[in-house]
Amino acid sequence: MDFVSQMKAKAVSAARKLVLPEGTEPRTVKAARILVNEKLAGSVTLLGKLADIQEVAKTNGVDLNGIQIISPADDSNFNKYTQTYYELRKHKGMTQDQAKIDMTDTLRWGAMMVHLGDADAMVAGAENTTGNVLRAGLTIIGTVQGLKTASSCFMLTDMDPQYGKDGSLIFSDCAVVPNPTPEQLSDIAESAALSCRELLNTEPIVAMLSFSTKGSAKHDDVTKVQSAVEILKSKKVNFIFDGEMQADAALVPEVLEKKAPGSPVRGKANVIVFPNLDSGNIGYKLVQRLGKAQAYGPFLQGFAKPISDLSRGASVDDIVTTCAITLSRVK
């Protein structure tokens, strides 16, 4: 069974509640129908004005039967959601009047549904920027306890089976944090390790990449990765990791034994943590195109509860797949 089929089977078994804030976006409405038909979610909620969603559905030949529709401003939970949002943000100067305005936004409403347990996961981004999706998630759902950084990962599959777990690896961060500090880099490593357990169903072996291996070069960028490794050591995290190291050392045992003998990674990394967004984004796209790997993501990580961001060019199938994978990660 391939990766997507595994995640879909897991989603069907979990039968979790999904909210889709972009309820008037045609691809999202079509995806909602498929998600219900294939039982990939226990329930699917579209957010937006009822008449607008109905018009989109009619235009695109989509039956809305079995799909829940919520218009935030008209919903019975509006006062509860508004008050909760105000309490979360009042230390930042939020007023109750502004909270009422903000909670008419479907992204914030969807995030609040997840925060309060009225939904298990949220997927958006077909018509919203990544920044907007992240802000809604960070201000309402927040990050995993002990972490301050939200980031992302890609799942790369169908590569040479000698690499990662049978040819599958987690690449992080490839979409969110442009130039992480050592503290952020250590958070990204922790989140990516959790993503490995959830998506690859195996124990993570994390390589903190650099153009240097164990001090072979001197530079501020090298020092940053070294500092991130020291932070992970101080936190006594529950996964194997090492760095700084070059990509070939992370992936090839013979190279690692020459460059960093005795490293616990052993040239068997299944999680690759890049030092910045330039290298992460370039790296996964090179592997995808030149290595003909399948790339799934980006999947957001580090949040207290699962949310995912879509490319604004996502197809209906892309949205369905992202939703299934996101639902499969619900605890």
Side-chain angles (χ1 to χ4, degrees):
M1 188 182 295
D2 63 25
F3 170 67
V4 172
S5 297
Q6 290 175 21
M7 295 298 103
K8 285 186 175 182
K10 191 175 177 182
V12 170
S13 177
R16 300 296 190 174
K17 299 174 289 186
L18 174 70
V19 58
L20 300 171
E22 297 161 330
T24 57
E25 200 285 313
R27 290 164 295 166
T28 301
V29 174
K30 292 177 183 178
R33 180 72 267 156
I34 295 170
L35 289 161
V36 171
N37 288 349
E38 296 186 5
K39 296 181 173 58
L40 293 168
S43 68
V44 177
T45 300
L46 293 172
L47 302 183
K49 292 183 179 179
L50 176 61
D52 293 343
I53 294 174
Q54 288 175 330
E55 181 61 29
V56 171
K58 181 179 178 182
T59 301
N60 290 275
V62 176
D63 179 8
L64 293 173
N65 184 46
I67 300 172
Q68 183 179 8
I69 297 172
I70 292 177
S71 175
D74 301 323
D75 191 73
S76 60
N77 282 321
F78 184 75
N79 288 336
K80 180 178 77 171
Y81 280 22
T82 297
Q83 184 61 30
T84 303
Y85 182 66
Y86 166 72
E87 294 294 338
L88 288 172
R89 303 296 296 166
K90 64 182 180 182
H91 69 289
K92 294 286 188 179
M94 176 63 62
T95 66
Q96 290 190 324
D97 286 342
Q98 185 61 48
K100 290 179 180 179
I101 295 171
D102 285 358
M103 283 313 298
T104 61
D105 173 70
T106 56
L107 281 178
R108 292 190 183 93
W109 187 274
M112 187 61 74
M113 286 183 69
V114 174
H115 175 64
L116 294 178
D118 294 330
D120 295 307
M122 178 178 91
V123 175
E127 63 181 3
N128 280 280
T129 65
T130 295
N132 286 340
V133 176
L134 287 171
R135 275 188 289 274
L138 286 170
T139 56
I140 296 172
I141 298 172
T143 54
V144 173
Q145 186 175 0
L147 300 181
K148 296 180 180 179
T149 308
S151 58
S152 73
C153 72
F154 274 83
M155 173 82 163
L156 277 292
T157 68
D158 295 348
M159 295 177 287
D160 189 320
Q162 70 177 303
Y163 299 120
K165 182 190 177 185
D166 302 323
S168 296
L169 291 97
I170 299 294
F171 280 24
S172 187
D173 177 15
C174 304
V176 175
V177 187
N179 191 23
T181 64
E183 292 77 13
Q184 289 174 318
L185 204 53
S186 68
D187 278 358
I188 290 168
E190 285 197 66
S191 295
L194 178 59
S195 294
C196 177
R197 289 187 174 118
E198 293 174 343
L199 299 176
L200 281 176
N201 193 32
T202 193
E203 282 303 299
I205 303 173
V206 179
M208 309 290 285
L209 293 194
S210 172
F211 63 84
S212 167
T213 299
K214 295 296 185 178
S216 64
K218 305 294 183 185
H219 192 275
D220 288 346
D221 290 344
V222 176
T223 302
K224 179 178 77 170
V225 180
Q226 292 171 338
S227 297
V229 171
E230 291 305 313
I231 291 170
L232 288 172
K233 289 178 180 177
S234 70
K235 295 176 76 172
K236 295 181 171 58
V237 294
N238 63 344
F239 56 87
I240 294 170
F241 67 93
D242 201 12
E244 90 286 7
M245 65 177 59
Q246 293 158 297
D248 56 353
L251 297 169
V252 182
E254 295 81 6
V255 174
L256 185 70
E257 280 306 306
K258 290 179 180 178
K259 294 185 175 183
S263 169
V265 168
R266 297 181 295 111
K268 294 290 186 180
N270 52 30
V271 178
I272 299 296
V273 176
F274 294 90
N276 56 42
L277 201 56
D278 281 338
S279 56
N281 194 270
I282 292 167
Y284 100 78
K285 287 180 178 177
L286 284 174
V287 172
Q288 179 187 24
R289 299 302 177 183
L290 299 182
K292 298 182 179 179
Q294 293 294 318
Y296 300 100
F299 302 115
L300 297 181
Q301 57 185 19
F303 285 93
K305 294 184 178 181
I307 68 171
S308 282
D309 177 44
L310 298 163
S311 164
R312 277 176 282 175
S315 67
V316 174
D317 285 345
D318 291 336
I319 297 172
V320 171
T321 296
T322 299
C323 289
I325 293 171
T326 305
L327 289 165
S328 76
R329 303 180 76 181
V330 177
K331 296 292 187 292

